[in-house]
Amino acid sequence: FSKMGDNKERSFIMIKPDGVQRGLVGEVIKRFEQKGFKLVAMKFTQASEEHMKTHYKDLEKLKFYPGLCKYMSSNPVVPMVWEGLGVVKTGRVMLGETDPAKSLPGTIRGDFSVHIGRNLVHGSDSVESAKKEIALWFKDDEVVTYTAGNNEWIY
Ligand code: RTP
């Protein structure tokens, strides 16, 4: 098999206010841990509306943007960085579709949510946006480099 090295991809995953309120922080973390991804940064914080406007800047022309940013800043969130092979794409699969009604059971949204505006978790949609989002939410030294249980041959 090929040598490790492509397992350093990172995704920005954030438990939204409804995920915190519903007591699903542990459940989301558990799923990413069990899948084999590595937690390299995490905070518990209530962000400002301005910060959420920057986070969702790509959506600023959409009609739900103001309400989305207000909602996202109304209560605490859990921003995280997860690392591992294909974590951006696989992370999105684990989350399910944006609309929970279209999300299959087995996904986080498919198992725990019903409303598009309360879909529990955010996940980066590309490696590029992951980089931007990680830089927005974490200082360089808040993303930790360390060796976890995986060594040269376990993913
Ligand atoms: P996210 O960024 O939160 O991971 O979600 P996403 O990529 O799956 O979806 P995106 O299109 O980026 O939308 C961001 C969030 O806005 C809310 N939304 N509300 N019609 C609506 O009311 C509506 N559409 C989207 C969702 O909570 C979505 O996750």
Side-chain angles (χ1 to χ4, degrees), residues 102-115:
K102 300 193 178 108
S103 298
L104 293 175
T107 64
I108 294 168
R109 290 163 175 168
D111 286 346
F112 300 110
S113 65
V114 292
H115 190 284

Side-chain angles (χ1 to χ4, degrees), residues 8-105:
K8 295 291 174 201
E9 186 173 302
R10 288 173 173 172
S11 187
F12 177 74
I13 303 289
M14 176 164 58
I15 304 171
K16 298 183 180 185
D18 52 326
V20 173
Q21 295 290 328
R22 299 262 314 272
L24 292 169
V25 172
E27 177 67 32
V28 173
I29 291 174
K30 185 186 80 172
R31 288 180 179 222
F32 277 83
E33 281 185 326
Q34 287 183 337
K35 184 70 177 170
F37 294 130
K38 183 172 145 188
L39 182 63
V40 294
M42 178 164 73
K43 287 181 191 179
F44 182 77
T45 182
Q46 183 166 354
S48 69
E49 200 173 328
E50 280 313 303
H51 191 82
M52 286 301 180
K53 281 183 176 163
T54 309
H55 174 80
Y56 280 123
K57 185 122 184 68
D58 288 353
L59 305 179
E60 80 186 324
K61 297 215 158 57
L62 303 179
K63 65 175 187 319
F64 61 80
Y65 173 76
L68 174 65
C69 296
K70 223 177 218 31
Y71 166 65
M72 287 294 295
S73 56
S74 68
N75 272 282
V77 292
V78 182
M80 300 176 282
V81 181
W82 287 88
E83 192 175 88
L85 182 67
V87 64
V88 169
K89 188 157 183 276
T90 302
R92 296 276 290 190
V93 173
M94 290 164 66
L95 262 49
E97 300 295 319
T98 304
D99 181 356
K102 300 193 178 108
S103 298
L104 293 175

